Amino acid sequence: MVRPGMVRMVAAIVTVLATVDASQRKTQYCDVIPDALDPPPHPEVTNQYTCSMEVVSDAPENPGDPNMRLEMFVKEVYDEPGNMFSMQIASKYYVERYILNWNTKQMLFIHTSKNSNEVRECVPRPLSEGVIFFPPILGSGQNLSVSHIVGPGAVLGILNWNETHYKGEYSFRGMTADRWDWCGLKEFENETGSHNISMATYWSSSKWSMPVMPTAEASIPLGWEVEVHEPQGGGSHGYYTVETLVHNIMDFSPGVVDYEEFRIPEGLFCEGMVPLEGHPFPDFSKDRLFTFSMEMRDSRVKDFTWADGWYDFEKQLYRIDHEIMSTPRERITATEVFDFNDGLAFTFGKKIARCRITIVNDTRTDWSDITGIGHLWADSPNAFFGSDLVNYTYYGRRFERYMEGDEWRASRSDWPLDVTGGNNQMLWQWTFANKNVTTVTSLGDHLYVERQVPIGLSVTALHDFQTSFGHVAKGSSFEYQIYDFNLESSAKFDLYSDGGDFDVYNCYSANWRDHLKFKLDVSSWPEIVNTALLTSSRFNEYWQVLLAKTGTVSTLRITRVKTIVEESNEVWIEFVLLYRHPEIGELDSELYSHLTPGFTAHTLIATAINNGEISFGGQKPGGGEFSLEAVRGSLALVVDADCTTTTAQPPTTHHTGPTNATTPYVPPGDNVIYTSGDLVAGVGVGLSVVGTGFRASRRTFLVVVKRLHVTLMNCCKN
């Protein structure tokens, strides 16, 4: 590292013997070399460049010892428009990088050993301490400005071109170069006790072809050095010159900025770093649903797997499709649906013979134990990222999967949950990129909106620690690549049903579900049948949530909601009501007793419809209000004409379409018998007997639901 002590060079190495008569030509007060006649224009330096150089100076521990010279290789990146400067010093065993940012008024010191497991640290420092990297400023006794980056010449040996003197053409590393000197290094003069210290700089000459050709806009610096001139033998005209702090520029790329030099290496957290203003962590608090695909990599065991996720924070429903171990030698794809309203998890799949139901006691630990994905549990949108627990710091732009994105980092110690020893401080690195995502308006129209969405997450152990499953070494990482992140519902990759993202219909036998429908009165806005609203997923989800709330059941138990427009422009809402699954009673009888029975939910929904409490309203596009209300008394069982569904064929007077018919639902009363399947241990048969109708007409029938078909008086034969 460049230090002030490196310029203390009295009587070190005699490299040049000058015997110059200062009266012959103009000479600076500190420089024994006379000025040359007819100087060319001052070299112009671009305001952005990258250069690599060799720096030779005294060893800090032995200043002035000609046998102890320190050689370093330095890479510097100067970006005046970006208001940033970076210096990297590499040696055999370590790499040091200093990032000076005038936007945040801070300098970062990053120290990493070549063996990354030994030393990795990032230390924020005051920007003013960076003056040691600009010898022209330091040697002049000035302070480093913290309001704006220094001029481009200050990095290359020039503080002020107006104070320089042209010394003519000189040989520098065997090349012809234009030499410009200047004096005024008061601080260095005070340190050495000499008033004959000058700064010599060397610039490309038109007589030489350079790798990057100089132009009218940019000259190529070849190097610069501090020179200490000492009298020779006490004479007034004889001097010997000691060259110190020699910078040999090996590569100079004008107009090129290597932005990787401004990036904090992965796996490092800079405690106390000041982030760039205007980059808050993305806020998803107003969103309700995430869908995505992801790849997961565990560096400890070289494990690679995948998953598709659906998180509905409004409904507290979550789904993960991923691989599980069916046998020690086989993985199969499973769907796991979590219902944190009732505290249940459902596991099923094409190769799983029987749907498995699990009681979820503690949301986070059960999520981790069942899915193996402990990092991405969340009970709210921002909790998915952990931004409800910690403040993420913006670390700038970075590339991920050939996309330029933004990165935020935070230090967290809330995962894993089963730590038994050590320091489980983990570095979380989120990368976001801009994407056009679909949003749905209140009238069902789909719009594209540009949003920042996550494309990657890296979780790295900053220390060694132990868990109940074993040792986690420092540097162990868990990598997630996130694809196709969306904020709207989509039944992607759903191989098992047509019931949407969270459908567990097939986990229930026909004895434990009712297929129902009710009619909507659209007279307040008849034209709605031609709008996108009726085909919107949000429209169906509205009814799902409303019906679940009305029936006092989890939204998972209202499924397969559909809006059907008949040829006559009648509008019907179809849905399936799921009963309490009997296996829940076997797992936890107390939980089972607290869940609303299907019969009760059915009754509550019917009562609400009959009381005019089920409706949907809003503003018409052209102005004015509309209200879509459920027609009172219209709740009915859905029946197929061929009697192959869960209900027998109703009378033809209720036929409302070419393939479907309805049986009116009558709330339980003196003339009605209704026995819910879940009221008889989930095995019984639901019955509806319309007593008065049986006595009044031979077409009246007994409806026996749940695929047990009994017909009376010329109804369906089964």
Side-chain angles (χ1 to χ4, degrees):
M1 185 176 66
V2 182
R3 296 178 174 86
M6 295 178 183
V7 299
R8 297 170 182 173
M9 311 292 157
V10 180
I13 302 176
V14 178
T15 56
V16 178
L17 180 60
T19 55
V20 179
D21 185 355
S23 64
Q24 294 177 359
R25 280 177 286 174
K26 182 181 178 182
T27 301
Q28 290 176 277
Y29 76 90
C30 64
D31 197 338
V32 299
I33 302 175
D35 294 355
L37 300 176
D38 300 324
H42 291 142
E44 295 189 21
V45 186
T46 59
N47 63 1
Q48 290 179 309
Y49 55 80
T50 298
C51 71
S52 299
M53 66 181 71
E54 171 194 60
V55 180
V56 182
S57 65
D58 277 3
E61 60 273 17
N62 295 94
D65 186 348
N67 297 315
M68 292 291 291
R69 302 287 275 173
L70 178 65
E71 180 185 42
M72 297 177 296
F73 293 93
V74 177
K75 181 178 181 179
E76 296 180 337
V77 179
Y78 178 86
D79 181 16
E80 185 175 35
N83 227 11
M84 298 180 70
F85 170 78
S86 169
M87 171 182 281
Q88 177 179 288
I89 304 172
S91 69
K92 181 177 180 181
Y93 299 106
Y94 67 89
V95 175
E96 290 182 351
R97 184 182 301 169
Y98 299 85
I99 301 174
L100 282 67
N101 191 330
W102 279 263
N103 302 297
T104 61
K105 317 302 182 188
Q106 194 173 57
M107 177 177 71
L108 297 179
F109 165 60
I110 300 170
H111 182 201
T112 59
S113 58
K114 292 295 182 65
N115 183 346
S116 60
N117 290 327
E118 292 181 3
V119 178
R120 289 178 67 82
E121 60 180 345
C122 176
V123 181
R125 301 296 302 168
L127 181 61
S128 59
E129 293 184 7
V131 68
I132 62 174
F133 304 120
F134 306 99
I137 300 176
L138 177 67
S140 301
Q142 302 182 33
N143 295 323
L144 182 66
S145 170
V146 296
S147 61
H148 191 272
I149 191 172
V150 299
V155 186
L156 305 171
I158 298 293
L159 191 61
N160 185 345
W161 279 109
N162 294 327
E163 296 179 359
T164 60
H165 291 251
Y166 181 63
K167 301 299 180 177
E169 292 185 343
Y170 272 71
S171 177
F172 185 78
R173 300 205 314 268
M175 296 178 287
T176 301
D178 290 327
R179 174 169 171 167
W180 295 82
D181 288 14
W182 61 278
C183 297
L185 300 171
K186 300 297 185 181
E187 183 67 24
F188 289 173
E189 290 176 354
N190 293 335
E191 288 187 3
T192 61
S194 170
H195 294 288
N196 296 318
I197 298 180
S198 64
M199 186 78 76
T201 67
Y202 301 89
W203 300 80
S204 59
S205 169
S206 59
K207 296 180 180 180
W208 280 76
S209 297
M210 308 302 296
V212 179
M213 292 301 296
T215 65
E217 293 78 23
S219 298
I220 305 302
L222 303 179
W224 55 273
E225 60 200 18
V226 175
E227 293 188 348
V228 181
H229 310 284
E230 293 294 331
Q232 175 72 18
S236 61
H237 301 294
Y239 291 86
Y240 66 88
T241 299
V242 178
E243 298 168 344
T244 185
L245 208 57
V246 178
H247 292 67
N248 293 311
I249 298 177
M250 316 305 294
D251 178 75
F252 186 84
S253 300
V256 176
V257 175
D258 185 354
Y259 289 103
E260 281 297 305
E261 295 298 312
F262 297 124
R263 184 171 174 269
I264 312 300
E266 290 190 24
L268 277 181
F269 181 68
C270 301
E271 187 76 36
M273 186 185 84
V274 177
L276 188 66
E277 292 184 357
H279 295 276
F281 190 81
D283 180 21
F284 291 86
S285 59
K286 295 182 180 180
D287 296 292
R288 65 176 190 88
L289 184 137
F290 296 163
T291 72
F292 55 89
S293 300
M294 66 180 176
E295 300 170 348
M296 299 167 288
R297 300 191 302 273
D298 185 344
S299 66
R300 299 173 303 163
V301 294
K302 302 297 186 291
D303 182 60
F304 174 88
T305 187
W306 64 272
D308 294 309
W310 293 257
Y311 288 55
D312 194 318
F313 305 103
E314 181 181 75
K315 302 175 186 175
Q316 290 292 283
L317 300 178
Y318 307 85
R319 168 180 162 184
I320 289 289
D321 289 4
H322 65 135
E323 291 181 335
I324 61 174
M325 298 294 297
S326 58
T327 68
R329 294 179 174 272
E330 182 184 19
R331 285 183 174 185
I332 61 173
T333 299
T335 291
E336 295 182 292
V337 175
F338 291 78
D339 178 5
F340 286 112
N341 301 287
D342 291 344
L344 299 170
F346 298 80
T347 303
F348 51 91
K350 277 194 168 183
K351 293 187 178 181
I352 298 177
R354 183 171 175 269
C355 181
R356 182 170 65 92
I357 301 177
T358 308
I359 303 296
V360 179
N361 296 311
D362 179 81
T363 56
R364 190 160 188 180
T365 55
D366 280 1
W367 173 269
S368 178
D369 293 343
I370 296 174
T371 65
I373 307 172
H375 302 77
L376 299 181
W377 156 251
D379 55 4
S380 68
N382 285 341
F384 180 88
F385 307 99
S387 57
D388 61 328
L389 299 175
V390 298
N391 292 321
Y392 282 91
T393 301
Y394 181 66
Y395 272 63
R397 304 287 286 173
R398 65 161 294 179
F399 280 91
E400 182 80 21
R401 301 199 312 267
Y402 303 101
M403 292 181 287
E404 188 176 16
D406 293 283
E407 182 183 48
W408 284 264
R409 301 183 191 180
S411 175
R412 298 174 57 179
S413 56
D414 58 326
W415 184 90
L417 301 175
D418 58 341
V419 176
T420 58
N423 183 351
N424 68 319
Q425 188 181 23
M426 309 281 282
L427 173 62
W428 289 58
Q429 301 177 188
W430 283 100
T431 304
F432 288 76
N434 287 359
K435 176 186 177 182
N436 286 331
V437 297
T438 302
T439 61
V440 181
T441 68
S442 60
L443 294 177
D445 294 314
H446 289 252
L447 301 176
Y448 276 123
V449 177
E450 186 172 324
R451 293 283 301 272
Q452 283 185 312
V453 299
I455 60 174
L457 166 66
S458 175
V459 182
T460 305
L462 298 178
H463 307 277
D464 293 338
F465 63 89
Q466 292 75 41
T467 71
S468 57
F469 293 100
H471 177 73
V472 178
K474 175 184 177 182
S476 299
S477 65
F478 307 86
E479 306 289 338
Y480 294 81
Q481 294 293 320
I482 300 176
Y483 302 89
D484 196 23
F485 191 93
N486 286 290
L487 303 174
E488 283 296 329
S489 180
S490 161
K492 60 180 180 180
F493 309 123
D494 194 334
L495 305 175
Y496 313 116
S497 74
D498 61 355
D501 299 334
F502 305 101
D503 183 46
V504 294
Y505 177 92
N506 290 327
C507 287
Y508 289 76
S509 75
N511 293 321
W512 306 321
R513 62 193 183 214
D514 278 342
H515 192 178
L516 304 168
K517 69 188 301 185
F518 61 87
K519 185 178 179 180
L520 272 186
D521 179 1
V522 297
S523 58
S524 65
W525 188 19
E527 297 81 7
I528 194 174
V529 297
N530 299 316
T531 69
L533 178 60
L534 295 189
T535 59
S536 166
S537 60
R538 284 289 185 90
F539 189 67
N540 290 334
E541 287 181 309
Y542 170 84
W543 298 115
Q544 180 190 30
V545 173
L546 178 60
L547 293 170
K549 182 179 180 180
T550 302
T552 66
V553 297
S554 166
T555 49
L556 191 70
R557 289 177 59 185
I558 302 294
T559 188
R560 304 205 170 190
V561 182
K562 298 177 182 178
T563 303
I564 297 176
V565 180
E566 301 283 357
E567 293 181 358
S568 59
N569 283 342
E570 289 185 348
V571 179
W572 293 81
I573 305 298
E574 283 192 13
F575 65 97
V576 173
L577 167 65
L578 301 177
Y579 291 177
R580 298 177 299 181
H581 201 292
E583 288 188 20
I584 302 172
E586 299 172 7
L587 295 171
D588 189 330
S589 58
E590 183 178 357
L591 172 63
Y592 182 83
S593 66
H594 283 89
L595 299 179
T596 302
F599 170 76
T600 303
H602 195 151
T603 302
L604 290 172
I605 293 172
T607 301
I609 290 176
N610 291 339
N611 291 339
E613 298 171 357
I614 303 297
S615 63
F616 177 90
Q619 290 276 348
K620 298 178 183 179
E625 302 282 338
F626 73 90
S627 179
L628 311 180
E629 297 183 358
V631 175
R632 302 186 184 208
S634 65
L635 185 66
L637 294 165
V638 175
V639 182
D640 285 348
D642 59 2
C643 295
T644 58
T645 61
T646 59
T647 55
Q649 183 178 358
T652 56
T653 54
H654 296 289
H655 184 69
T656 58
T659 59
N660 293 326
T662 63
T663 300
Y665 173 78
V666 180
D670 293 338
N671 297 320
V672 178
I673 301 174
Y674 187 96
T675 305
S676 168
D678 63 4
L679 288 180
V680 286
V683 181
V685 178
L687 302 174
S688 290
V689 179
V690 187
T692 55
F694 184 82
R695 292 189 293 271
S697 170
R698 73 183 298 271
R699 292 294 300 173
T700 305
F701 58 96
L702 171 67
V703 178
V704 185
V705 297
K706 315 306 178 195
R707 294 192 185 279
L708 177 61
H709 302 292
V710 176
T711 58
L712 296 175
M713 298 184 179
N714 296 323
C715 287
C716 292
K717 302 295 183 181
N718 193 47

